[in-house]
Amino acid sequence: MTRTVTLEDLAARIGPGAKIAVAPDYAGVPMALAREIIRQGPGGLHVVCVPSAGMIVDLLIGAGLVTTLETAAVTLGEAGGAPRFQRAVRDGTIRIMDATCPAIHAALLAAQKGIPFMPLRGIIGTGILENRPDWKTMQNPFADSPDPIVAIPAIIPDVAIFHAPEADRFGNVRIGRRRELATMAYAAKKTLVTVERVVAGNLLHDEASAAGVLPSLYVDAVAVVPEGARPYGMWSGEYDTDSAEISRYARMARTEDGFREYLGLAALEPAR
Amino acid sequence: MSVPATHRERLIVAISRLLDGCRHVAVGASSPIPAAAAMLLRAMKEAEDELIYVSVLGSQEHNFFTNGGVELFDCAAQGRIDAFFLGGGQIDGQGNINLVGTGTYPQTNVRWPGSFGSAYLAFLVPRLILFREEHTARVFVEKVDFVSAPGTSAPEVYRPGGPRALLTGLGQFSFDRETARFTLQTIHPGHTLEEIRAATGFTFDLAPDLGITPDPDPATLALLRGRVLEEVSECYPEFAMSARAELGAALSPAASRATATRAIP
């Protein structure tokens, strides 16, 4: 049974060293949860962007909580590059595992199916493959002539996190057509969700929209956090992305001091 | 509508010409000019009773994917996408693109966002169009520092797709997958071959009929300034606004002169 908990309790379920899958900017970014994670400070995180991310990852990196980042891209969109990410890459303070979008989807799909890897076209001859010793090129076992194909190992996140418009009291969560959220949850050992609201009734009872609902079977805990994606917007229409706020962050986060000031931190505590 | 084509309109129309014959055009994030070009093609083909699918990532209205971020890639792998666009912080003479950064990987001096889906789509989409407005020697380099997507592959590598053309702010090139070389096809009005050579860090070939990028006809311009700008504004409001402002200023020089005068104290 899914538990409805406070935001503090939700974040407390993420321990140091966890491998966390994070929703992309267009699918409900759990920003409030990220700020609470930063307050609690579990270090040594391995963050997997599904398949790319923006400010949420920049915040976690800036707060010193990330040791490994697996992503197809990190950007603040119109506000430009992600400053703490860029800095950490240049200084070598995080281990970057550059990927490409479909490879991250495929790795999660392998986890969803309980298989060790997923073969994928493309990628051969890229600098990405060259720098991913964990990805292997193999011969297509069904071809008679040479046909190299890349095997992407499964990614099994310890935790998947995202923000959604609504859950019911059983823990079923509306994800609409944001199917990557289901992929993350199927693949992860644990899924933690923040929602705008809890609705009456059972979301699975409406046949017309049940396919856009992630069943509570895959959801470990839900916290009600209105506007939990801000400054990112919600695809379900509650609010739009606040570009001015993201730009303000981009400017402040250019320096370490500005970053701390943005977060309201006097000084960063070392990660626990 | 006697305003001549603006630079950006020329680019949009040039891309839509490159898309002719496509059934499904997909456009990645933050790509207003390619999005407008795909929408222009759709509008023009509609007049001929031909249905073109346009999938603009980031749009609610002009995107019919319902299976999450993976659907674009699955579609491409099955050959259901005819054309896609990629840019690059660096693009080299062999058609390799770099979206990762400059300097020695991983601790690149300049770090760009990352490769996104390029390492996949460049292999699978038959008509890959490279589009980078900034045409300088720092973008068009001899050799990229990091290969996000290679221009060509060894013969045994499954590769139905790859670069077909490169459009920049100065001109339009074709790409030959056999020789892995670019050929300059047209130069945009107001620019010269010498200028392009100076701004390009690699050698390229010249088309025997090398000419000037043609201007759009009035009917195409009208469609672009009307319906297409309206459609683009849903996903790219700022782009549509600035395109309209540019047209407005050209349409009423008196008004813009008056504004200019007022601005001087």
Side-chain angles (χ1 to χ4, degrees):
Chain A
M1 178 83 185
T2 309
R3 288 173 187 281
T4 304
V5 301
T6 63
L7 182 61
E8 292 72 25
D9 288 345
L10 201 69
R13 291 164 184 251
I14 299 170
K19 185 183 279 195
I20 310 184
V22 179
D25 293 353
Y26 48 82
V29 191
M31 292 300 290
L33 177 57
R35 284 187 287 266
E36 179 58 24
I37 292 170
I38 290 168
R39 201 185 63 78
Q40 297 188 13
L45 301 177
H46 177 142
V47 175
V48 179
C49 305
V50 184
S52 61
M55 189 170 155
I56 188 167
V57 160
D58 211 54
L59 286 177
L60 293 170
I61 292 171
L65 303 185
V66 179
T67 51
T68 302
L69 178 67
E70 194 163 356
T71 190
V74 180
T75 170
L76 298 182
E78 286 172 8
R84 294 293 96 197
F85 159 73
Q86 290 173 331
R87 185 56 192 262
V89 166
R90 200 166 53 239
D91 293 351
T93 51
I94 57 169
R95 175 174 164 241
I96 174 87
M97 299 170 77
D98 265 287
T100 181
C101 307
I104 291 179
H105 293 303
L108 293 170
L109 205 58
Q112 168 184 333
K113 294 184 183 302
I115 54 179
F117 65 87
M118 186 68 78
L120 202 65
R121 288 299 187 190
I123 306 171
I124 294 167
T126 63
I128 302 170
L129 182 61
E130 223 172 274
N131 289 283
R132 291 295 304 253
D134 54 328
W135 294 0
K136 310 281 184 204
T137 306
M138 58 186 253
Q139 162 68 14
N140 169 3
F142 299 99
D144 299 325
S145 52
D147 181 14
I149 189 163
V150 178
I152 310 286
I155 295 175
I156 305 174
D158 294 312
V159 192
I161 59 172
F162 63 87
H163 184 72
E166 59 192 27
D168 61 24
R169 62 193 172 84
F170 308 102
N172 302 308
V173 177
R174 187 176 303 286
I175 58 168
R177 63 180 82 179
R178 268 56 195 182
R179 299 303 304 173
E180 46 272 274
L181 302 178
T183 304
M184 284 163 58
Y186 297 152
K189 294 177 188 163
K190 201 158 68 175
T191 295
L192 307 176
V193 183
T194 54
V195 294
E196 291 289 316
R197 59 191 168 270
V198 170
V199 294
N202 185 324
L203 289 174
L204 289 174
H205 285 175
D206 180 359
E207 194 58 28
S209 62
V213 174
L214 179 68
S216 66
L217 173 65
Y218 304 99
V219 180
D220 294 84
V222 171
V224 181
V225 186
E227 307 199 340
R230 279 195 189 277
Y232 285 99
M234 276 305 285
W235 48 267
S236 38
E238 282 83 357
Y239 42 93
D240 290 330
T241 294
D242 183 349
S243 311
E245 177 61 14
I246 296 175
S247 295
R248 186 175 81 88
Y249 169 76
R251 282 191 304 274
M252 290 186 72
R254 274 186 215 147
T255 64
E256 178 82 33
D257 287 349
F259 174 79
R260 289 182 193 188
E261 193 188 327
Y262 182 87
L263 276 185
L265 302 173
L268 283 177
E269 310 238 340
R272 75 173 147 89
Chain B
M1 281 291 184
S2 56
V3 182
T6 63
H7 175 67
R8 122 168 81 187
E9 286 174 334
R10 255 188 226 114
L11 294 178
I12 293 170
V13 174
I15 293 177
S16 85
R17 277 190 213 107
L18 289 169
L19 296 175
D20 194 26
C22 291
R23 182 178 168 273
H24 184 183
V25 180
V27 183
S30 313
S31 310
I33 289 178
M39 288 166 175
L40 177 62
L41 177 80
R42 179 172 63 186
M44 290 193 299
K45 292 295 176 180
E46 208 176 270
E48 299 166 24
D49 230 15
E50 203 183 312
L51 180 64
I52 306 282
Y53 288 98
V54 175
S55 301
V56 178
L57 297 190
S59 165
Q60 293 274 9
E61 200 68 34
H62 305 280
N63 180 343
F64 40 80
F65 291 142
T66 57
N67 198 29
V70 77
E71 189 172 355
L72 167 73
F73 304 107
D74 290 351
C75 258
Q78 292 181 297
R80 293 180 193 269
I81 293 175
D82 302 308
F84 191 74
F85 307 88
L86 286 175
Q90 289 179 330
I91 297 174
D92 72 20
Q94 289 80 53
N96 300 309
I97 70 165
N98 173 5
L99 295 164
V100 163
T102 63
T104 308
Y105 185 86
Q107 281 172 259
T108 41
N109 311 322
V110 175
R111 171 71 204 206
W112 297 317
S115 302
F116 287 102
S118 64
Y120 191 72
L121 296 174
F123 286 78
L124 300 168
V125 177
R127 206 176 300 190
L128 181 70
I129 296 169
L130 305 179
F131 173 57
R132 180 74 207 246
E133 218 177 327
E134 178 188 332
H135 192 139
T136 60
R138 68 169 195 165
V139 173
F140 296 103
V141 295
E142 170 102 53
K143 192 158 181 20
V144 293
D145 291 352
F146 184 97
V147 178
S148 289
T152 57
S153 297
E156 71 271 18
V157 174
Y158 178 80
R159 186 153 193 188
R164 270 284 180 80
L166 164 66
L167 185 73
T168 77
L170 299 182
Q172 183 180 319
F173 299 77
S174 60
F175 183 72
D176 185 330
R177 293 180 198 170
E178 296 300 315
T179 60
R181 278 180 72 83
F182 287 103
T183 300
L184 182 62
Q185 296 291 340
T186 66
I187 300 171
H188 300 334
H191 299 286
T192 64
L193 176 58
E194 291 64 42
E195 191 185 350
I196 292 180
R197 281 221 166 97
T200 309
F202 55 78
T203 61
F204 52 86
D205 302 322
L206 301 179
D209 56 346
L210 174 65
I212 310 272
T213 310
D215 263 346
D217 58 64
T220 305
L221 270 186
L223 201 55
L224 178 54
R225 290 169 181 177
R227 171 179 161 175
V228 172
L229 261 195
E230 191 55 44
E231 287 178 351
V232 171
S233 68
E234 179 250 349
C235 193
Y236 296 109
E238 282 167 30
F239 174 81
M241 216 165 14
S242 87
R244 286 196 178 109
E246 203 178 357
L247 287 175
L251 265 176
S252 54
S256 54
R257 259 202 313 276
T259 316
T261 315
R262 265 202 307 278
I264 299 164

